[in-house]
């Protein structure tokens, strides 16, 4: 009995002391599950989205100056090598493999409805600026930068299917390489880009956001990322005569003037280079929320900056830059203007003003519920009884 009492007393005293010791040495008493420890936001990804949307604007502005010299050609091709692939990779990292009814509604209201709206606004804007608008493709072929909305909707629907496969990434890569051999896979429905960039989306999904958040925590990784970006920049300089349609991933191999085997090899090399550059950018961006707020509103800058680019083209701004400045000075002006445009369009004020365009379903539902339907029906019934 004395032995049992001593053991009970020792256990009673030891348990609180052990709990205090764990707290002192930084070891929690009970660790929360891993899912609870992961943050809802990942600052590195938000920072990367702001950097990438700024590069998207830079690329669209430089596109109007590629004929001015080799530097503009090389910079344009280098940016197009990774800016949209990095967006695709981040989108995959933040996507869920479970397609619930709520997520399906979000795809329709958050991607497809804005696509239909901007697919109407951009040709109308061109018709007002240039006197002619291309209405021939209707809503089947995305206008210029709107392909990403349609492709992203398709990727999120395709992900639950591929997530169940044993080897999803090799299968998606084989489909991406084979898509270039089919002549009818091209601009309509953004089908070519959807299939070609889908391996990057799957790669982001396999890596997951929390791994990308911690990607740049070692100096060795950052040094390797700098070497990758510098090497691809040098390659873009030596390959500045490469047809940029290779980087768009929107046409088949026959249109690009190569055989199916050679085209598949080139496309595979470009996908590998794009993946390496996208991961390098995610390695080098700040891990703290420096531009996180602007990055969360990157979709606003993406969809709205095209109106400013088309307006500058109609006003003759690029022609003036070409004639008034040397190539280097014009590039500096364009890059500075692009970062300013991206920063302004990613502010909270622009987000509030553009909310009816970005989220058309929200104000439609609010307007529908705000209409006094009962009063209208009562007025109609009163008019019927009167006449």
């Amino acid at each position: 009995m004395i032995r049992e009492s001593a053991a009970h007393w020792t256990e009673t005293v030891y348990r609180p002391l052990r709990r205090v010791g764990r707290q002192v040495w930084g070891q929690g008493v009970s660790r929360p599950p891993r899912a609870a420890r992961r943050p809802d936001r990942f600052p590195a990804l938000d920072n990367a989205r702001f950097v990438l949307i700024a590069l998207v604007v830079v690329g669209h502005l430089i596109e109007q100056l590629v004929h001015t010299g080799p530097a503009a050609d090389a910079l344009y091709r280098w940016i197009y090598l990774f800016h949209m692939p990095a967006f695709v990779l981040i989108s995959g990292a933040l996507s869920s493999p479970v397609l619930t009814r709520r997520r399906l509604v979000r795809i329709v209201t958050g991607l497809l409805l804005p696509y239909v709206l901007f697919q109407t606004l951009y040709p109308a804007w061109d018709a007002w600026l240039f006197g002619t608008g291309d209405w021939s493709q209707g809503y089947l072929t995305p206008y210029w930068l709107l392909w990403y909305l349609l492709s992203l909707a398709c990727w999120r629907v395709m992900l639950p299917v591929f997530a169940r496969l044993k080897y999803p990434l090799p299968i998606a890569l084989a489909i991406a390489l084979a898509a270039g051999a089919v002549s009818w896979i091209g601009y309509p429905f953004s089908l070519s880009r959807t299939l070609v960039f889908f391996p990057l989306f799957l790669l982001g999904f396999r890596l997951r956001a929390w791994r990308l958040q911690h990607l740049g925590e070692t100096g060795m990784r950052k040094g390797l990322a700098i070497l990758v970006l510098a090497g691809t920049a040098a390659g873009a300089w030596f390959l500045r005569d490469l047809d940029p349609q290779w980087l768009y991933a929107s046409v088949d191999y026959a249109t690009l003037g190569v055989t199916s085997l050679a085209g598949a090899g080139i496309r595979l090399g470009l996908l590998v280079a794009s993946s390496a550059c996208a991961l390098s950018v995610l390695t080098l961006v700040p891990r703290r929320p420096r531009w996180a707020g602007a990055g969360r509103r990157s979709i606003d800058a993406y969809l709205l900056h095209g109106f400013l680019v088309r307006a500058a083209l109609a006003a003759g701004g690029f022609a003036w830059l070409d004639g008034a400045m040397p190539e280097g000075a014009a590039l500096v002006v364009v890059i500075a203007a692009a970062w300013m445009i991206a920063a302004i369009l990613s502010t909270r004020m622009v987000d509030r003003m553009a909310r009816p365009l970005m989220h058309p379903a929200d104000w439609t539902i609010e307007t529908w519920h705000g209409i006094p339907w009962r009063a209208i029906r009562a007025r109609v019934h009163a008019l019927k009884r009167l006449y």
Side-chain angles (χ1 to χ4, degrees):
M1 179 181 294
I2 296 175
R3 183 181 301 175
E4 293 176 358
S5 300
H8 177 71
W9 181 85
T10 303
E11 187 68 15
T12 303
V13 173
Y14 176 70
R15 280 184 178 177
L17 290 177
R18 183 174 56 182
R19 186 177 295 111
V20 172
R22 285 183 176 180
Q23 292 176 352
V24 170
W25 291 102
Q27 299 177 357
V29 179
S30 61
R31 302 182 68 184
R34 178 175 296 180
R37 297 198 305 270
R38 292 178 185 171
D40 294 331
R41 303 297 312 186
F42 299 92
L45 302 189
D46 290 330
N47 292 334
R49 285 196 286 191
F50 175 72
V51 172
L52 292 171
I53 193 59
L55 290 177
V56 168
V57 183
V58 170
H60 287 159
L61 293 180
I62 293 180
E63 186 178 4
Q64 310 300 328
L65 300 173
V66 291
H67 61 281
T68 59
D73 272 336
L75 183 59
Y76 176 75
R77 282 158 178 77
W78 181 65
I79 290 174
Y80 266 74
L81 178 64
F82 65 86
H83 71 334
M84 291 311 297
F87 259 123
V88 175
L89 193 143
I90 293 174
S91 299
L94 297 172
S95 296
S96 173
V98 180
L99 187 63
T100 61
R101 181 181 300 178
R102 184 176 182 179
R103 291 194 178 104
L104 188 60
V105 171
R106 286 182 180 178
I107 290 174
V108 174
T109 59
L111 294 175
L112 297 182
L113 284 182
Y115 167 77
V116 172
L117 181 59
F118 280 90
Q119 187 75 3
T120 305
L121 293 177
Y122 266 109
W125 183 252
D126 280 353
W128 184 62
L129 291 175
F130 301 99
T132 57
D134 187 9
W135 306 89
S136 59
Q137 301 297 331
Y139 296 92
L140 302 182
T141 301
Y143 175 94
W144 188 22
L145 50 78
L146 299 181
W147 68 269
Y148 189 70
L149 296 180
L150 200 56
S151 293
L152 183 56
C154 295
W155 293 329
R156 288 182 174 171
V157 173
M158 294 163 61
L159 180 59
V161 178
F162 277 78
R164 295 176 178 270
L165 301 178
K166 189 175 183 180
Y167 303 106
L169 196 55
I171 294 174
L173 186 59
I175 294 174
L177 299 180
V182 183
S183 60
W184 53 268
I185 296 180
Y187 281 101
F189 298 103
S190 188
L191 185 57
S192 179
R193 283 166 167 159
T194 299
L195 297 178
V196 172
F197 289 132
F198 186 56
L200 290 165
F201 188 85
L202 275 179
L203 177 62
F205 168 73
R206 301 287 291 186
L207 292 175
R208 303 310 298 163
W210 61 273
R211 287 196 182 97
L212 297 179
Q213 171 67 31
H214 300 288
L215 193 61
E217 292 186 344
T218 62
M220 183 178 295
R221 291 178 182 175
K222 292 182 178 180
L224 182 60
I226 293 174
L227 289 177
V228 169
L229 292 176
T232 53
W237 174 263
F238 291 108
L239 297 176
R240 57 186 180 273
D241 294 329
L242 178 72
D243 191 342
Q245 290 194 93
W246 280 107
L247 304 174
Y248 304 157
S250 56
V251 294
D252 59 290
Y253 301 141
T255 303
L256 294 167
V258 296
T259 63
S260 297
L261 185 60
I266 296 173
R267 179 157 287 173
L268 177 61
L270 289 174
L271 285 175
V272 172
S274 298
S275 303
C277 288
L279 292 174
S280 298
V281 171
L282 292 172
T283 302
L284 295 176
V285 294
R287 318 324 287 178
R288 296 180 179 180
R290 180 175 298 179
W291 307 301
R296 294 170 199 150
R297 296 181 288 272
S298 59
I299 189 64
D300 297 356
Y302 182 79
L303 292 176
L304 295 176
H305 81 275
F307 294 106
L308 300 179
V309 175
R310 300 297 289 172
L313 181 62
F318 298 105
W320 177 83
L321 278 178
D322 187 14
M325 297 183 181
E327 180 191 7
L331 286 179
V332 171
V333 171
V334 162
I335 293 173
W339 281 84
M340 187 179 300
I341 290 171
I344 293 173
L345 294 181
S346 300
T347 57
R348 288 197 182 102
M349 182 182 67
V350 173
D351 182 59
R352 287 194 295 266
M353 294 173 60
R355 188 170 183 82
L357 297 178
M358 303 299 146
H359 307 281
D362 293 348
W363 64 265
T364 303
I365 294 173
E366 291 176 1
T367 304
W368 177 269
H369 288 295
I371 296 176
W373 294 111
R374 293 184 178 179
I376 294 175
R377 284 196 296 268
R379 184 66 58 86
V380 170
H381 288 316
L383 290 175
K384 287 182 177 178
R385 288 193 300 267
L386 182 61
Y387 294 98

